[in-house]
C-alpha cells in the first residue's frame, strides 16, 4: 500500500529536524561543550532502555493466498513436503482457420496435444530423473474443495506423462497429452483442468512459473489438422470460469498449488517465517507514549532470538523482510492486518538473512518507524506493528523460527531496545 503524499512529507520534515538537531552535536551527545553555538552549557544525556514492548506476537499460515502464487510447487519430498499443481483451461478453441476463404472451421480432430511448463531452477530440487504425470481433475465440487480435486489424481484420470533427466528438468518442459481426451473436451465444450504430480527415485521439488509470470505461464497447444497446409498449432493460456460472478477470484484460480502435507508444528513458544505453505509473523508493540512524544529517538532495534529448525532446505539462507503495518487500529483481524503493509524499503526497516539451521540473537532496525508512529499518530492512527515475511515466500521450503513472548527465559523473548535523548530546547539564549 503506497504511503499518502501528505504523510510522507510530514515524516520527511520530522526526520530532517531530528537529524539536524542531532547532527549539531556529533562529537559527544552528553557534552554541551561539543557544540557551544547550539547547545551552550547544556547537557544532552543519551539514555538506553530495554522494553518488553511486544504485546501480540503470532504466526499466520497461508501465504501466498491460493491462486496468488508467483510459482507453482510440485513436489515429492517424503513426509517433509508433498505438493501438486492445478492449471485450468476452462475455455478451449473450437474453431480454426485455413487460408482464405476457409475460416471458422469446426475442430473435428486434434493432434500433438501438449502442455508447456517453464521451470525455475532456483528453488527446484532435482537430483534424479523425474516423471511428471498429468491428470484430468475437472470437477463440479466447490472451488475451495481441494480434497475433491486430489481424489481425481488416479490412474483412470491420467491423460499425460513424460520423463526427464535432472538436466532436462531445469528449463522448458513439454508434456504430451492424450489427443482423444483433449478432443473430447473441445467437441463437447468442456473444461480442461490439469493436475500435475511428480515422482522420482529421490526427493524432488519443481518450481514452475505460474500465470503471474506472463509469457512464462503454462500453455496448452494442439494441431487441429494433420494436413501439411499452413494451419498453425493453436495455443491457449490458462483461464478459470469459476467461481461464477467473482471474476477477480476466478482470475486468481487459473492455476494454484495444493499442499498435501500439513504445516509443520510450531509449539507454543515459537514464531515462524517462510516454509511451504508459508507463514508470516505479526508483532504488535506497546511503546510508552511519553517515549514517543517527549524524547528524540536516536535508535530503536527489535531483538529476536533465532532457534535452529531442521526444516527442509535448512542450509539455504532465507531473507527475512520486515514491513510496517499500515492497517488502522480499527482493523482487529490480524490476518487481514498482515496484508496491509508498507513497501519493503519504507521507514528504514532493515532486512536480515539466515539459514533455518542457524541460531542466535538477531537485530532489526526500527528507529525511523518508531519516530513515524509519533509523527502520523494524529492523522492516521495505524497499528504499532510489523510483519516478518520470507523474501522467497511461496517459493522455498526453508522456514526460519524465533522464540516468542512465551519463551522460558526473558532473554529469549522479543524485546525492543531504544536509545533516546530527552527533548531539549536548542534555542540561543
Amino acid at each position: 500500500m503506497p504511503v499518502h503524499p501528505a504523510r510522507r512529507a510530514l515524516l520527511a520534515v520530522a526526520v530532517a529536524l531530528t537529524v539536524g538537531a542531532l547532527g549539531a552535536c556529533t562529537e559527544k551527545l552528553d557534552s554541551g561543550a561539543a557544540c557551544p553555538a547550539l547547545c551552550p552549557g547544556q547537557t544532552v544525556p543519551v539514555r538506553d532502555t530495554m522494553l518488553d514492548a511486544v504485546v501480540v506476537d503470532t504466526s499466520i499460515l497461508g501465504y501466498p493466498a491460493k491462486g496468488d502464487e508467483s510459482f507453482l510447487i510440485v513436489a515429492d519430498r517424503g513426509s517433509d513436503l508433498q505438493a501438486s499443481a492445478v492449471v485450468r483451461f476452462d475455455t478451449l478453441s473450437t474453431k480454426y482457420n485455413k487460408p482464405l476463404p476457409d475460416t471458422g472451421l469446426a475442430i473435428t480432430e486434434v493432434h500433438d496435444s501438449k502442455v508447456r511448463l517453464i521451470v525455475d531452477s532456483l528453488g527446484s530440487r532435482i537430483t534424479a530423473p523425474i516423471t511428471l504425470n498429468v491428470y484430468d481433475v475437472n470437477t463440479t465440487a466447490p472451488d475451495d474443495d481441494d480434497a475433491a480435486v486430489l481424489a481425481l489424481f488416479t490412474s483412470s484420470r491420467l491423460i499425460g506423462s513424460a520423463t526427464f533427466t535432472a538436466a532436462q528438468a531445469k528449463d522448458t518442459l513439454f508434456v504430451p497429452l492424450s489427443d482423444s481426451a483433449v478432443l473430447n473436451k473441445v467437441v463437447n465444450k468442456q473444461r480442461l483442468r490439469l493436475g500435475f504430480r511428480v515422482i522420482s527415485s529421490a526427493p524432488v521439488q519443481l518450481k514452475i512459473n505460474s500465470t503471474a509470470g506472463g509469457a512464462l505461464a503454462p500453455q496448452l497447444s494442439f494441431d487441429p489438422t494433420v494436413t501439411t497446409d499452413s494451419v498453425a498449432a493453436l495455443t491457449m493460456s490458462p483461464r478459470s470460469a469459476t467461481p461464477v460472478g467473482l471474476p477477480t477470484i476466478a482470475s486468481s484460480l487459473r492455476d494454484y498449488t495444493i499442499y498435501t502435507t500439513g504445516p509443520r508444528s510450531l509449539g507454543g513458544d515459537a514464531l515462524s517465517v517462510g516454509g511451504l505453505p508459508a507463514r508470516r509473523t505479526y508483532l504488535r508493540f506497546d511503546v510508552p507514549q511519553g517515549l514517543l512524544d517527549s524524547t528524540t529517538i536516536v535508535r530503536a532495534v527489535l531483538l529476536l532470538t533465532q532457534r535452529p529448525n531442521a526444516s527442509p532446505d535448512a542450509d539455504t539462507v532465507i531473507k527475512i523482510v520486515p514491513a510496517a503495518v499500515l492497517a488502522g487500529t480499527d482493523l482487529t483481524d490480524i490476518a487481514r492486518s498482515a496484508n496491509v503493509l508498507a513497501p519493503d524499503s519504507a521507514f528504514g526497516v532493515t532486512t536480515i538473512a539466515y539459514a533455518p539451521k542457524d541460531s542466535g540473537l538477531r537485530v532489526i532496525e526500527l528507529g525511523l518507524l518508531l519516530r513515524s508512529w509519533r509523527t502520523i499518530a494524529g492523522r492516521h492512527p495505524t497499528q504499532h506493528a510489523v510483519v516478518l515475511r520470507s523474501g522467497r515466500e511461496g517459493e522455498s521450503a526453508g522456514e526460519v523460527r524465533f522464540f516468542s513472548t512465551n519463551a522460558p527465559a526473558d532473554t529469549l523473548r522479543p524485546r525492543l531496545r531504544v536509545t533516546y535523548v530527552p527533548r531539549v530546547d536548542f534555542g540561543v539564549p
Side-chain angles (χ1 to χ4, degrees):
M1 176 181 293
V3 180
H4 192 281
R7 192 184 335 144
R8 184 165 56 245
L10 184 60
L11 178 59
V13 171
V15 172
L17 290 174
T18 300
V19 172
L22 293 177
C25 302
T26 55
E27 293 291 329
K28 252 180 106 177
L29 283 174
D30 60 351
S31 172
C35 45
L38 291 178
C39 10
Q42 295 191 36
T43 299
V44 185
V46 178
R47 298 179 181 175
D48 192 88
T49 184
M50 189 77 73
L51 303 173
D52 292 323
V54 177
V55 292
V56 176
D57 60 340
T58 186
S59 296
I60 309 158
L61 180 69
Y63 294 94
K66 180 180 178 181
D68 290 343
E69 305 98 329
S70 297
F71 297 91
L72 305 173
I73 302 297
V74 182
D76 179 8
R77 300 179 68 173
S79 59
D80 283 336
L81 178 65
Q82 295 284 338
S84 303
V86 174
V87 183
R88 295 177 169 183
F89 297 94
D90 286 2
T91 300
L92 300 175
S93 298
T94 58
K95 298 181 183 297
Y96 72 102
N97 297 326
K98 283 186 175 181
L100 293 174
D102 296 327
T103 61
L105 301 175
I107 295 175
T108 59
E109 54 184 314
V110 163
H111 304 275
D112 194 26
S113 303
K114 56 182 176 288
V115 62
R116 184 202 70 180
L117 305 172
I118 297 181
V119 175
D120 189 314
S121 59
L122 179 63
S124 294
R125 298 289 182 270
I126 309 164
T127 57
I130 67 168
T131 297
L132 195 58
N133 290 331
V134 188
Y135 302 84
D136 175 4
V137 295
N138 185 39
T139 175
T140 57
D143 289 284
D144 59 354
D145 191 347
D146 290 341
V149 174
L150 291 172
L152 301 179
F153 283 76
T154 62
S155 58
S156 63
R157 289 276 190 144
L158 183 68
I159 62 171
S161 183
T163 299
F164 306 92
T165 65
Q168 292 171 330
K170 294 182 179 180
D171 198 345
T172 303
L173 308 182
F174 289 96
V175 182
L177 303 177
S178 164
D179 289 334
S180 60
V182 174
L183 178 61
N184 179 63
K185 300 288 187 180
V186 170
V187 171
N188 294 294
K189 297 182 179 180
Q190 296 177 346
R191 305 180 306 204
L192 178 62
R193 295 184 172 180
L194 304 178
F196 296 86
R197 181 166 287 172
V198 66
I199 57 176
S200 177
S201 60
V204 58
Q205 176 179 316
L206 290 177
K207 177 184 171 187
I208 301 169
N209 283 273
S210 72
T211 51
L216 303 181
Q219 187 179 81
L220 172 70
S221 65
F222 59 78
D223 194 329
T225 175
V226 293
T227 59
T228 57
D229 54 29
S230 58
V231 176
L234 302 178
T235 60
M236 282 136 278
S237 298
R239 181 180 181 275
S240 176
T242 61
V244 176
L246 298 171
T248 301
I249 298 177
S251 179
S252 293
L253 295 180
R254 289 175 292 176
D255 52 16
Y256 57 90
T257 299
I258 301 177
Y259 294 98
T260 51
T261 46
R264 296 167 64 87
S265 175
L266 271 184
D269 62 349
L271 300 170
S272 169
V273 179
L276 290 174
R279 288 184 173 102
R280 292 180 179 181
T281 283
Y282 173 96
L283 302 114
R284 184 185 299 161
F285 301 85
D286 182 11
V287 181
Q289 197 61 41
L291 189 63
L292 297 176
D293 293 341
S294 303
T295 71
T296 296
I297 295 176
V298 179
R299 189 187 186 199
V301 294
L302 172 63
L303 303 178
L304 297 171
T305 303
Q306 184 182 350
R307 53 192 301 173
N309 179 31
S311 72
D313 302 332
D315 294 330
T316 303
V317 172
I318 303 298
K319 183 180 180 182
I320 306 300
V321 182
V325 174
L326 294 183
T329 54
D330 55 340
L331 182 58
T332 58
D333 187 321
I334 291 178
R336 291 177 60 192
S337 297
N339 287 322
V340 186
L341 304 176
D344 294 347
S345 58
F347 301 106
V349 179
T350 58
T351 61
I352 57 176
Y354 293 96
K357 68 175 184 178
D358 294 340
S359 62
L361 186 65
R362 310 301 178 216
V363 177
I364 298 175
E365 298 282 349
L366 297 180
L368 183 57
L369 179 59
L370 260 67
R371 292 193 287 271
S372 76
W373 286 344
R374 171 175 56 83
T375 304
I376 66 178
R379 291 192 172 189
H380 181 66
T382 60
Q383 298 177 25
H384 292 178
V386 297
V387 163
L388 310 180
R389 62 177 181 82
S390 169
R392 296 175 60 192
E393 192 172 73
E395 303 175 24
S396 170
E399 177 190 2
V400 177
R401 293 188 176 183
F402 304 96
F403 281 100
S404 74
T405 53
N406 293 322
D410 292 345
T411 54
L412 298 176
R413 298 169 187 164
R415 291 167 294 159
L416 188 65
R417 182 173 182 175
V418 181
T419 304
Y420 65 97
V421 177
R423 195 66 55 82
V424 176
D425 294 326
F426 289 100
V428 177

